[in-house]
Amino acid sequence: MLGLTELAVRRGRTLVVTALTREIRPGPVFWVTGPNGAGKSSLMRVLALLDPPAAGAIRYGLDPDERFLYFHSEMTLPASSTVGAWERLTGRLLSARDRPDRTALWPDVEPGRRVGRLSTGERKRLLLDSLLRRRGPLLLDEPYEHLSPDSKSALSAALRDRARTRVVVVATNQIPPATAVEAGIRLEAGAAEPLPAEAGS
Amino acid sequence: MTRRTLALARHSVHTNLRTPFTWTGAALLLAVSLLGPLISLRNHGTWAFDPEMLGTGFAFGALFVIRSGVVEQRTGGLQDFLRVNCISASEHVLAAVLSLAASWLLYTAFAFAVGVVLSGGDVGLAAWTVSLLSLTLGLLLPFALMVECASDLRTPLFVPGFIYFAGLFALAAALGYQRMAELLGLNADRAWPPSSLPLATRAGVSLVVGFALILLVTRARGRRRRQRERRARAAAPVGASRDGTAPR
């Protein structure tokens, strides 16, 4: 469960989200959309507790050993690292309750390949794979950017699956085609409007 | 120290070894150190090892080699990824300390190998020269990590290195060379190895105090986020499912 009460989010001196009250529960993926600069990323950083809210409260309903998992589109691996080294590190950072094997997002590249020689989409898939192997609710900021159609489908399937038991919040201004949006908000000019039931097609 | 800290430190060392900076630094050490014997060969017709040129090469090379890799992790967003999803900020910084220490030790070992080769197998001379250089470098390591944590400079040793040498010249001008050498512990004598103890002590104190300070500051800076997390968890309504599953 993720509860937001009268939440306000600031980006610099501008209030980009005001008086946002929602209770987000597992079930459907919760979408946060809106034009560039609407405050999606700022809101996600506040939900991930990286930045404090300007006002209001956030409530987490989590297992004691669980945490909200967070990803934003600008996250990447150092270019000098290799795919194999990242996979070894991922394996060692997982807990016993996490999923030890690769997800469908893992790119089909040889372990000795330098990260700097991968495409932006492949680099992103390495991080998303690492995140999806972990147990817990998800906060994803623009996870579909730079992904191929197949990878987008694989990600959507993984998110739908995770959303059945954990909260999944996805911020994007490009909801994949033919996605049934069952829950979410559209941010614009500081206001949060509930998303229509069928959007993004 | 956790298994995760060691794993991240190992990954950082692996990544650092593959950066162009590391190869540039190693090449600089080799090239400058080679100048001494080459000049001797040209001027006197004999191959003579020059510890001062090894020291100069060591200093120039260290400027590029010595780094923990946290700058790349921070600027690429990997630091946020790791700290939010995988490890604590303290574990992350401890991994950076280990990675930096590894770059120091590996660089010292490489310089020793270069010294042994260029001196024609004089292990004693190479060990003595490199140990003094390495201890001086150890003195500056915590400051290099502070620069990495506070700026996006990918060659962090430039800042403490410049300050150190500027201070060295200023002290020598103000107090005289002998007094400056005593103050900094640089008046070590190869004929009497315990004379390097003052320099070793200074390096040891700098390493322990400097790294402890960095860890404490990191912990203090992460306190606000930990408080926000505690508040968010504590505020969960009684009816909320603890494991996040949908209520029936």
Side-chain angles (χ1 to χ4, degrees):
Chain A
M1 191 280 301
L2 175 61
L4 314 176
T5 310
E6 292 292 313
L7 191 73
V9 175
R10 199 181 285 280
R11 189 184 58 233
R13 291 180 179 179
T14 314
L15 272 179
V16 287
V17 177
T18 52
L20 177 59
T21 299
R22 284 286 184 289
E23 188 126 315
I24 305 169
R25 292 184 175 274
V29 172
F30 189 89
W31 299 90
V32 178
T33 69
N36 290 335
K40 301 185 295 291
S41 297
S42 303
L43 172 63
M44 295 301 273
R45 285 186 63 84
V46 168
L47 297 184
L49 307 176
L50 284 168
D51 295 332
I58 301 169
R59 288 165 292 132
Y60 280 178
L62 292 169
D63 278 353
D65 63 339
E66 203 173 63
R67 54 169 102 183
F68 265 90
L69 304 170
Y70 170 67
F71 172 86
H72 68 72
S73 63
E74 284 163 21
M75 286 173 169
T76 188
L77 294 167
S80 305
S81 180
T82 61
V83 173
W86 174 248
E87 188 170 25
R88 279 194 298 279
L89 178 62
T90 295
R92 288 181 182 127
L93 293 180
L94 295 174
S95 73
R97 296 168 74 181
D98 293 326
R99 172 186 167 154
D101 50 328
R102 297 170 179 176
T103 68
L105 265 295
W106 184 264
D108 185 21
V109 287
E110 62 271 27
R113 178 90 70 95
R114 281 165 58 105
V115 170
R117 290 180 181 272
L118 300 177
S119 70
T120 310
E122 285 172 327
R123 289 188 215 187
K124 195 166 183 174
R125 285 164 62 189
L126 289 178
L127 285 172
L128 284 169
D129 168 86
S130 169
L131 202 67
L132 291 169
R133 287 195 210 181
R134 310 181 77 82
R135 190 175 150 269
L138 297 169
L139 300 169
L140 307 181
D141 186 3
E142 293 294 359
Y144 290 101
E145 219 173 46
H146 304 297
L147 295 187
S148 64
D150 285 352
S151 300
K152 283 180 181 173
S153 300
L155 178 60
S156 289
L159 296 184
R160 278 196 304 273
D161 188 43
R162 178 70 58 102
R164 286 193 199 111
T165 56
R166 299 284 187 278
V167 168
V168 175
V169 181
V170 179
T172 181
N173 56 14
Q174 293 175 333
I175 296 176
T179 301
V181 177
E182 296 173 51
I185 51 171
R186 176 177 168 80
L187 296 178
E188 193 154 12
E193 298 296 328
L195 271 183
E198 294 293 329
S201 55
Chain B
M1 189 167 323
T2 64
R3 188 178 70 112
R4 296 180 303 188
T5 307
L6 287 173
L8 180 56
R10 190 176 155 185
H11 181 265
S12 301
V13 172
H14 176 273
T15 304
N16 279 341
L17 283 175
R18 282 162 176 75
T19 60
F21 289 109
T22 302
W23 295 108
T24 305
L28 263 176
L29 165 63
L30 196 59
V32 177
S33 304
L34 256 174
L35 282 179
L38 288 178
I39 290 170
S40 167
L41 199 62
R42 200 182 68 176
N43 293 346
H44 309 292
T46 55
W47 180 276
F49 174 56
D50 185 346
E52 284 185 13
M53 290 309 276
L54 177 66
T56 308
F58 186 91
F60 278 119
L63 294 174
F64 293 91
V65 172
I66 299 301
R67 54 221 295 279
S68 72
V70 290
V71 172
E72 284 83 352
Q73 292 175 6
R74 187 175 57 247
T75 54
L78 183 61
Q79 177 172 301
D80 278 350
F81 183 90
L82 292 169
R83 289 189 181 188
V84 176
N85 302 318
C86 309
I87 57 174
S88 68
S90 302
E91 284 176 313
H92 182 240
V93 169
L94 189 55
V97 168
L98 293 176
S99 164
L100 186 70
S103 78
W104 175 44
L105 295 175
L106 289 172
Y107 185 62
T108 298
F110 178 66
F112 173 68
V114 170
V116 169
V117 170
L118 295 186
S119 64
D122 189 342
V123 175
L125 178 60
W128 173 252
T129 308
V130 170
S131 65
L132 292 186
L133 293 167
S134 184
L135 287 174
T136 308
L137 182 56
L139 202 70
L140 304 178
L141 280 192
F143 301 101
L145 186 56
M146 286 175 195
V147 171
E148 275 195 291
C149 289
S151 78
D152 289 348
L153 194 62
R154 287 169 194 234
T155 48
L157 197 65
F158 267 94
V159 176
F162 178 79
I163 293 170
Y164 180 78
F165 281 107
L168 203 117
F169 285 117
L171 280 174
L175 307 172
Y177 180 83
Q178 193 58 36
R179 184 79 187 108
M180 176 275 291
E182 280 171 20
L183 268 176
L184 297 176
L186 299 176
N187 52 344
D189 183 358
R190 192 188 166 197
W192 191 52
S195 62
S196 65
L197 208 59
L199 180 58
T201 307
R202 284 166 176 76
V205 170
S206 172
L207 287 168
V208 172
V209 173
F211 287 149
L213 197 66
I214 292 169
L215 286 169
L216 283 174
V217 170
T218 305
R219 199 164 167 72
R221 289 179 68 182
R223 198 178 56 213
R224 283 186 186 169
R225 185 171 185 276
R226 287 198 303 277
Q227 282 173 346
R228 283 199 291 273
E229 182 163 353
R230 268 200 296 274
R231 271 202 299 271
R233 283 176 182 268
V238 176
S241 166
R242 297 299 300 167
D243 65 359
T245 52
R248 304 292 176 204

